[in-house]
Amino acid sequence: MERAVGHILEKINRKDATVLTSQELCDMIDAGDNVGFEDVEVVTAATRAIMSGTYAVLSFPVDTVEKFTRACTVTINGVDAHVGPCPNERLGILDLMVFGTAHSHERENYGGGHLFREIVEGNPVDVDVVTDEGRKYSDTVSIEDMPYAQLFATRHAFKNYSAFVNFSPSPVSTIFHATAFAPDATEATLSGCGQINPVKNDPQLHGIGVGSRILLNGAEGFILGSGTRSSPEKPNLIATADMHSMVADHMGGFATSAGPECIVSWAVAVPVVDDSVFDAIRQTDSAVPMPVMDADRRIKVAMTSYADAWKDVDLEVAFNPGNCRGCDVCEPMKRCPMESIYFNGDKMVLNRHTCFNCGLCSTLCSSVFKAELGSLKFDYEGKNMDVPIVVRQSDRKRALIMAEKLRDSIKNGSFILNGMVERISP
Ligand code: SF4
Ligand code: SF4
């Protein structure tokens, strides 16, 4: 079956379209409801995860005592910014590219992702410039001083991603864990929001394509095409949006044992234009494959599904500060990748705005932090493995909220769904 995007848009305008989140539709499937193509016109899908392929283009004037010819090197809050491509000769203006994975020279566990969030929050950031002539200037700017601040994705929103286990006999430092990865397949981490991932809901890219309007970190932006290393088995997308309109809680930095990484979120409305889209949105977590990778050798060792990650688990950690015994060393506070746990006097605090719902704290102090995180079940070299998940590098809790918000915005007309300009070959 097929329906034209124009027909869907008309129905939305008449407030006559059925718009569901992918979670709602999957819940109906799980409940055994008989859902057909004709029952849904648009599905909203979302993901919030570590997405390394992220950079920002920033352009702003710097306040210096004298005009410089060209900037040679620039750091912002100690994070390297790549100067150019436009040299802005004698203009006193910087054009910069900042990578989401760049690490600060000055602050441990601070990188491009942290910087992007601070910029969006409106915090002042320190800019240090060295010119071609070797002169040094420093300035402090905030997003109001930046006429241009645009975020770009180079490879985001994978159809599905992977789980990781360290099969080697030694701990491994990796971007796929918040702490050193314990050896001998004793713990697992994962990425990917499973059934609600945007491209999982349209893997052949029949409903979304070049020019489709999306929410990137909460700001309206557009899909530009397919990303680096995109393949029919593992398609991913590139997109862009203006940082001035972004929502800080949807983005940020995440400390891994290989340094800070960048958190980004996408919310995408998928028009249900044909059976390929409908068949995809009907796939629930247990039908969404999740490769199990060896974190040490970076090879696939087994397959499981996203049901291991998201079925019958807690999407957020329950917090019981009254159970805190005030230990000399608080491991959850020390290891939280978002620095979301701290003491205010002798009162323990969990900052829900910055918490990524990764779950790590629940594995370190179960009296104060409680969450069922599930386990990976797969066969490996003739053995039935059941490896507990200790860190989630995708935040399905917030992704669900974003998908619901996008659904409501389409229904009330504050988000205008559009048709693509051109198809993308997955
Ligand atoms: S949260 Fe747990 S580990 Fe941290 S001080 Fe309290 S009881 Fe100790
Ligand atoms: S779930 Fe716990 S460890 Fe993870 S970000 Fe939140 S507070 Fe930190």
Side-chain angles (χ1 to χ4, degrees):
M1 295 176 83
E2 285 186 10
R3 56 163 79 90
V5 176
H7 173 70
I8 296 173
L9 301 183
E10 274 170 30
K11 284 192 85 171
I12 292 172
N13 278 341
R14 294 201 306 269
K15 303 216 178 300
D16 192 23
T18 305
V19 185
L20 300 172
T21 66
S22 48
Q23 181 68 41
E24 286 174 317
L25 196 122
C26 288
D27 286 346
M28 290 159 80
I29 303 283
D30 279 339
D33 292 357
N34 190 13
V35 189
F37 178 85
E38 62 286 353
D39 296 323
V40 56
E41 269 92 21
V42 178
V43 157
T44 58
T47 181
R48 180 177 189 242
I50 292 175
M51 301 195 199
S52 306
T54 308
Y55 67 96
V57 176
L58 310 173
S59 177
F60 54 91
V62 270
D63 190 15
T64 54
V65 282
E66 57 201 337
K67 280 261 159 62
F68 56 86
T69 311
R70 286 170 179 226
C72 179
T73 63
V74 175
T75 60
I76 309 179
N77 283 0
V79 174
D80 283 333
H82 302 266
V83 181
C86 185
N88 294 328
E89 190 181 284
R90 294 188 176 82
L91 292 176
I93 294 171
L94 301 175
D95 276 17
L96 306 168
M97 290 174 75
V98 184
F99 296 165
T101 49
H103 299 172
S104 168
H105 300 290
E106 295 163 2
R107 283 168 63 181
E108 200 187 351
N109 283 333
Y110 186 93
H114 298 85
L115 175 64
F116 299 161
R117 180 168 176 146
E118 283 216 66
I119 289 173
V120 165
E121 281 173 335
N123 294 343
V125 293
D126 297 326
V127 183
D128 292 296
V129 183
V130 179
T131 68
D132 270 359
E133 298 92 347
R135 286 201 290 270
K136 294 182 180 175
Y137 300 104
S138 296
D139 195 6
T140 301
V141 302
S142 62
I143 195 162
E144 293 97 64
D145 307 310
M146 298 180 183
Y148 192 94
Q150 190 83 9
L151 200 82
F152 291 85
T154 63
R155 56 196 315 256
H156 279 196
F158 283 83
K159 175 182 151 218
N160 48 347
Y161 206 72
S162 304
F164 294 85
V165 173
N166 175 16
F167 287 87
S168 81
S170 311
V172 169
S173 292
T174 167
I175 59 169
F176 299 112
H177 201 314
T179 63
F181 218 130
D184 301 321
T186 47
E187 58 181 29
T189 68
L190 69 96
S191 295
C193 280
Q195 65 191 18
I196 69 165
N197 259 24
V199 179
K200 170 264 162 189
N201 285 284
D202 184 13
Q204 296 185 42
L205 303 172
H206 287 184
I208 54 177
V210 175
S212 293
R213 185 179 284 113
I214 62 163
L215 294 177
L216 189 62
N217 291 341
E220 286 194 12
F222 295 95
I223 293 172
L224 303 176
S226 57
T228 65
R229 286 186 274 145
S230 185
S231 65
E233 299 73 41
K234 231 176 163 182
N236 72 75
L237 297 171
I238 53 175
T240 187
D242 188 343
M243 292 174 74
H244 292 88
S245 314
M246 287 186 177
V247 178
D249 280 3
H250 293 347
M251 55 199 295
F254 183 103
T256 76
S257 52
E261 277 285 327
C262 184
I263 298 166
V264 179
S265 60
W266 285 51
V268 178
V270 180
V272 184
V273 291
D274 61 23
D275 286 330
S276 85
V277 180
F278 185 67
D279 290 345
I281 62 177
R282 292 180 78 254
Q283 305 292 310
T284 58
D285 284 322
S286 53
V288 182
M290 181 164 66
V292 180
M293 308 289 291
D294 181 351
D296 184 38
R297 292 171 293 162
R298 271 311 277 281
I299 56 165
K300 186 172 81 181
V301 292
M303 286 300 289
T304 180
S305 80
Y306 274 92
D308 282 359
W310 300 119
K311 196 166 166 45
D312 301 326
V313 300
D314 295 314
L315 297 186
E316 68 178 350
V317 169
F319 179 50
N320 305 297
N323 294 347
C324 180
R325 300 178 304 277
C327 311
D328 288 344
V329 177
C330 177
E331 289 294 328
M333 187 167 87
K334 206 167 117 191
R335 294 170 190 259
C336 171
M338 304 297 291
E339 297 180 357
S340 299
I341 301 167
Y342 57 92
F343 281 93
N344 186 357
D346 55 5
K347 192 167 169 257
M348 167 147 282
V349 179
L350 167 56
N351 182 345
R352 293 278 185 194
H353 289 291
T354 56
C355 170
F356 187 72
N357 298 310
C358 76
L360 178 64
C361 50
S362 71
T363 70
L364 301 171
C365 176
S366 57
S367 48
V368 174
F369 305 93
K370 275 205 189 330
E372 174 54 55
L373 304 180
S375 62
L376 299 187
K377 296 160 200 74
F378 59 90
D379 292 332
Y380 178 67
E381 295 184 342
K383 281 187 280 183
N384 291 330
M385 306 290 288
D386 191 347
V387 185
I389 293 166
V390 297
V391 169
R392 304 182 294 213
Q393 293 192 308
S394 292
D395 179 359
R396 181 138 144 185
K397 167 89 184 169
R398 241 196 219 106
L400 285 170
I401 293 168
M402 290 185 297
E404 286 164 10
K405 225 171 149 186
L406 180 57
R407 173 201 61 199
D408 297 344
S409 301
I410 292 168
K411 285 182 171 179
N412 69 26
S414 57
F415 180 93
I416 307 296
L417 186 65
N418 65 338
M420 71 172 87
V421 174
E422 193 169 300
R423 282 278 304 277
I424 301 169
S425 299

